[in-house]
Amino acid sequence: MNKSVIAALLAAVPLSGCISFAAKPPASLLTLQPTAVLPAGTVQESGTVKAVTIGPVNAPQELATTRVPVHSGPGGTTIAYVKNAQWVEGPASLFGRLLADTVAARTGRIVLSRRQSLSTPSASLGGDVRSFGVDASKMEAVVVFDASLGREGTQAFERRRFEAHVPITAVTTAAIGPALNQAANQVAAEVADWVGK
């Protein structure tokens, strides 16, 4: 066949109906909302309040996605993902921002990234999200965060695990979204109180 015939055939095929470059997105996406926030208009200055830096929150490969993992089987060693449940972005990023908002609201400290910090802060916080999903055997939303904290005037870091378990009635987007938000806020509040000591 010559090139003009091939070009005519290709032009006759409506490409939009034949080609798909990605899976169909879900009807809605999940996000986290902090329960503790600074009032609008609040001004914090690093010269008048203590500062805390929060580094990037790390996460294992199972959370390096916008999907919500479900652990099942003996010891929770089998992982699947909740059908049609998807975060607006990775849970580590979402939790990191929730943590920053909560620490600022509950401690009164100014929260800075490591890039923004020009001097030694009064505390430096980082850590790893170990779990951010569903335990199907216990029907719970589970958030586990291993936090590392360095305080001003010390060379040592403290390490502490925080976790929250919130019951769910079903493994559906409607049930797990609010439960994971509640668990994440509980963990963030406990971390903030630890930082504020």
Side-chain angles (χ1 to χ4, degrees):
M1 295 178 77
N2 65 31
K3 292 180 182 176
S4 61
V5 173
I6 293 172
L9 289 173
L10 288 175
V13 177
L15 293 178
S16 62
C18 299
I19 298 174
S20 175
F21 293 102
K24 184 179 177 184
S28 60
L29 299 172
L30 299 171
T31 191
L32 297 176
Q33 293 296 326
T35 54
V37 293
L38 288 170
T42 300
V43 176
Q44 292 180 303
E45 294 182 25
S46 60
T48 58
V49 297
K50 290 183 177 181
V52 57
T53 60
I54 298 181
V57 173
N58 303 309
Q61 189 61 37
E62 75 176 72
L63 298 175
T65 176
T66 55
R67 301 175 72 191
V68 181
V70 179
H71 287 258
S72 59
T77 55
T78 302
I79 300 173
Y81 289 93
V82 180
K83 185 179 180 182
N84 297 326
Q86 188 171 315
W87 296 105
V88 296
E89 62 180 310
S93 297
L94 286 170
F95 182 71
R97 271 196 301 284
L98 176 81
L99 189 59
D101 289 341
T102 305
V103 168
R106 290 180 71 94
T107 67
R109 297 181 184 207
I110 185 169
V111 176
L112 303 171
S113 69
R114 292 196 173 137
R115 285 185 183 176
Q116 293 170 321
S117 181
L118 300 176
S119 61
T120 304
S122 58
S124 179
L125 178 67
D128 304 290
V129 174
R130 295 293 185 179
S131 182
F132 208 94
V134 174
D135 183 336
S137 64
K138 297 180 180 177
M139 290 300 285
E140 294 177 333
V142 181
V143 173
V144 178
F145 180 59
D146 286 345
S148 299
L149 179 65
R151 298 187 190 271
E152 184 179 22
T154 68
Q155 297 295 323
F157 273 83
E158 300 172 44
R159 186 106 170 142
R160 182 173 167 188
R161 173 165 285 190
F162 297 87
E163 60 183 87
H165 301 258
V166 175
I168 56 173
T169 55
V171 183
T172 62
T173 303
I176 63 172
L180 281 168
N181 191 71
Q182 180 182 336
N185 272 283
Q186 180 182 326
V187 167
E190 291 174 4
V191 173
D193 293 345
W194 181 52
V195 171
K197 283 182 180 178

